[in-house]
């Protein structure tokens, strides 16, 4: 590793000791960019890396709300405005009990690079709360979202910072957040939040975009290696927004999805997962994936334990981790390789540990990194923002064809950057290099701010 990179990485580790996920995300990027730093000595003088790892602003706030028993509950809210180098801050909100500063910082840091890869003018941000939406009534969700927005509204806006969904934040939560934002601002600022329902300014195909985009990226990556998705077996972790629409597109491309999961366990169905049933259980009933075997007794269900993800136990051609960070570790990677996996694509953010990625790549498994492969969601959010600005709607087909073009371009840029910097076929390095180059040049041109 280049000595300047090493110095900044060590400083970052010391300064952010209690933030393992953030350090993991920074290390992953820094491990790839030596070939760029080597030919741009001015980056050290301009403190490019030091500035890149320090968020422009962090807001942490109290979120008090009343539950259905009229008791006061207090959660913690976060918004990290990491980088406005190439556009307004942009990135989702996560509501999950595991949320802390390290997780939001890692997600915000990743978002800067991902957003640059889309080729669209959006900066990087992330936010959320340790609030757990599971088991809460609709009114509790509404009261929490309203209280969260009572503080967040001061910091966002369609040209300032544009939040969207993430784990635990879907159309229902975005609706409550937007309603409260509109009331507080006394203005209809449609582009201040994305992931809105299509009835009030959302974009067609936004719901599907991250999962569909992942499959477009996988198709391109496989094609570059003379392969295709047709008749391949697939395991997808999670059964939320990303997982469900990844499954839908994988099936449309001729693959057979045989396994899906949630935080409690995984279902394996040899004949192919019935996606309509998964949608019914997870999107409509907000139930548990285990209920799948009540309808299909020939399917298999295995419970997860803290150190065991059953979803990676199965023999499949393609694995798509689409649930959460660090859900696929070295042991899982070894099992997948032993069972003959040929490609892994990250639908979730940082779902694979770094040693798992290195192992998979060393065994010749094609690897699609999250920053590039799941960028379709935020790209379509940017398309939602432009529709809101134009006060106009594109059709589903128009949005999907823009998404497809964006994903093809992202793949081509990753492929070219990897080739140009001597790591052909390594799309992790390609994605990091392509995004970093753009951001560093933008930083160089904007002065010390
Ligand atoms: P959802 O909340 O819709 O779904 C999350 C899914 O992952 C659920 O099935 C959930 O299970 C499961 N899950 C969550 N935590 C864990 C855990 N600790 N262990 C096992 N399973 C878990 O979220 P999304 O689909 O929106 O997001 C999934 C991932 O994709 C996240 O990493 C997110 O950052 C990333 N992403 C999302 C984008 C989007 O547009 N939504 C865009 C780009 C990335 P359960 O039902 O039991 O909670």
């Amino acid at each position: 590793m280049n000595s300047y990179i090493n110095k900044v990485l060590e400083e970052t580790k010391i300064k952010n000791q209690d933030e393992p996920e953030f350090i993991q995300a920074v290390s992953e990027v820094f491990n790839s960019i030596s070939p760029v730093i080597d030919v741009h000595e001015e980056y050290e003088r301009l403190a490019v890396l030091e500035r890149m790892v320090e968020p422009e602003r962090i807001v942490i706030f109290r979120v008090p709300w009343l539950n259905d028993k009229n008791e006061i509950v207090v959660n913690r809210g976060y918004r990290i405005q990491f980088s406005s180098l190439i556009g307004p801050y942009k990135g989702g909100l996560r509501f999950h009990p595991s949320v802390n500063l390290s997780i939001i910082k890692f997600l915000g840091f990743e978002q800067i690079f991902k957003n640059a890869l889309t080729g669209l003018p959006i900066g990087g941000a992330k936010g959320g709360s340790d609030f757990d939406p599971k088991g809460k009534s609709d009114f509790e969700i509404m009261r929490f979202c309203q209280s969260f927005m009572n503080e967040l509204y001061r910091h966002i806006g369609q040209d300032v910072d544009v939040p969207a969904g993430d784990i635990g934040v879907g159309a229902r939560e975005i609706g409550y957040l937007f309603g409260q934002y509109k009331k507080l601002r006394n203005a209809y600022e449609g582009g201040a939040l994305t992931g809105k329902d299509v009835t009030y300014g959302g974009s067609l195909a936004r719901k599907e975009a991250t999962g569909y985009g992942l499959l477009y990226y996988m198709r391109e990556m496989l094609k570059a290696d003379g392969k295709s998705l047709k008749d391949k077996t697939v395991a997808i972790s999670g059964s939320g927004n990303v997982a469900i629409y990844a499954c839908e597109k994988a099936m449309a491309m001729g693959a057979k999805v045989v396994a899906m999961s949630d935080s409690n366990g995984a279902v394996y169905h040899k004949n192919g997962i019935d996606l309509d049933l998964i949608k019914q259980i997870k999107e409509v009933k907000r139930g548990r994936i285990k209920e799948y075997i009540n309808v299909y007794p020939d399917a298999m269900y295995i419970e997860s334990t803290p150190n065991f993800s059953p979803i990676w136990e199965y023999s499949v051609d393609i694995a798509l981790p689409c649930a959460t960070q660090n859900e696929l570790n070295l042991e899982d990677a070894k099992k997948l390789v032993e069972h003959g996996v040929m490609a892994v694509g990250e639908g979730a953010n940082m779902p694979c540990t770094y040693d798992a990625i290195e192992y998979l790549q060393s065994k010749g498994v094609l690897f699609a990194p999250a920053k590039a492969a799941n960028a379709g969601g935020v790209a379509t959010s940017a398309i939602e923002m432009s529709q809101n600005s134009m006060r106009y709607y594109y059709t589903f087909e128009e949005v999907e064809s823009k998404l497809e073009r964006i994903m093809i371009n992202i793949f081509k840029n990753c492929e070219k950057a990897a080739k140009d910097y001597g790591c052909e076929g390594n799309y992790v390095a390609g994605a990091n290099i392509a995004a970093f180059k753009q951001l560093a040049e933008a930083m160089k041109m904007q002065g010390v701010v």
Side-chain angles (χ1 to χ4, degrees), residues 19-30:
E19 297 169 8
E21 292 86 0
F22 175 57
I23 290 166
Q24 184 183 343
V26 173
S27 305
E28 196 233 82
V29 171
F30 279 17

Side-chain angles (χ1 to χ4, degrees), residues 89-258:
Y89 307 110
K90 178 93 195 84
L93 298 171
R94 176 177 292 191
F95 293 167
H96 192 272
S98 65
V99 162
N100 58 33
L101 187 60
S102 173
I103 288 181
I104 301 297
K105 265 177 87 174
F106 113 67
L107 289 164
F109 183 75
E110 290 265 302
Q111 198 80 45
I112 313 171
F113 295 83
K114 179 188 314 203
N115 292 4
L117 285 173
T118 65
L120 299 168
I122 37 179
K126 203 78 188 191
S129 173
D130 57 0
F131 170 74
D132 186 359
K134 267 198 204 108
K136 304 288 189 298
S137 70
D138 274 359
F139 277 129
E140 288 179 318
I141 299 278
M142 182 186 78
R143 287 192 294 269
F144 174 80
C145 289
Q146 291 176 340
S147 178
F148 188 85
M149 188 51 82
N150 284 345
E151 173 59 34
L152 188 71
Y153 89 98
R154 300 170 212 284
H155 311 285
I156 64 171
Q158 58 192 3
D159 297 316
V160 181
D161 180 357
V162 184
D166 191 80
I167 292 179
V169 180
R172 175 180 56 168
E173 291 74 17
I174 293 290
Y176 294 143
L177 290 164
F178 184 73
Q180 187 71 357
Y181 179 76
K182 183 163 62 73
K183 187 170 174 72
L184 292 165
R185 292 278 295 120
N186 192 29
Y188 202 99
E189 222 186 274
L193 281 157
T194 60
K196 300 181 295 296
D197 190 77
V198 289
T199 53
Y200 65 93
S203 175
L204 289 163
R206 171 60 187 92
K207 184 174 69 172
E208 293 81 359
T210 310
Y212 279 20
L214 169 65
L215 267 297
Y216 284 128
Y217 191 96
M218 295 302 288
R219 181 191 70 190
E220 295 305 302
M221 183 176 74
L222 290 165
K223 197 159 78 183
D225 206 52
K227 302 185 171 96
S228 87
L229 278 141
K230 183 127 187 48
D231 299 327
K232 300 298 181 304
T233 51
V234 184
I236 302 179
S237 66
S239 45
N241 175 260
V242 179
I244 284 178
Y245 294 95
C247 179
E248 188 162 283
K249 193 50 108 183
M251 288 171 168
M253 289 180 176
K256 183 160 91 166
V257 179
V258 292

Side-chain angles (χ1 to χ4, degrees), residues 300-334:
M300 216 159 63
Y301 175 75
I302 305 181
E303 288 275 337
S304 307
T305 59
N307 295 315
F308 169 66
S309 299
I311 187 79
W312 312 127
E313 290 291 297
Y314 307 110
S315 168
V316 286
D317 301 310
I318 295 171
L320 302 176
C322 294
T324 193
Q325 65 275 357
N326 293 328
E327 52 161 321
L328 196 162
N329 61 25
L330 180 60
E331 290 312 306
D332 300 318
K334 284 183 178 167

Side-chain angles (χ1 to χ4, degrees), residues 353-421:
T353 58
Y354 195 65
D355 51 2
I357 299 174
E358 281 189 323
Y359 181 79
L360 290 165
Q361 289 180 320
S362 74
K363 296 292 172 189
V365 176
L366 292 171
F367 190 85
K371 281 184 200 79
N374 74 21
V378 74
T380 308
S381 275
I383 297 171
E384 181 175 334
M385 288 162 70
S386 49
Q387 291 172 85
N388 295 146
S389 296
M390 291 188 292
R391 302 192 190 284
Y392 183 73
Y393 286 107
Y394 295 132
T395 62
F396 191 99
E397 291 71 25
E398 283 172 316
V399 179
E400 199 189 347
S401 91
K402 288 178 200 301
L403 167 67
E404 182 175 6
R405 239 187 4 256
I406 288 168
M407 296 313 297
I408 293 171
N409 278 339
I410 293 176
F411 175 73
K412 290 219 161 89
N413 288 339
C414 296
E415 189 184 36
K416 182 171 182 313
K419 204 168 167 186
D420 289 350
Y421 286 88

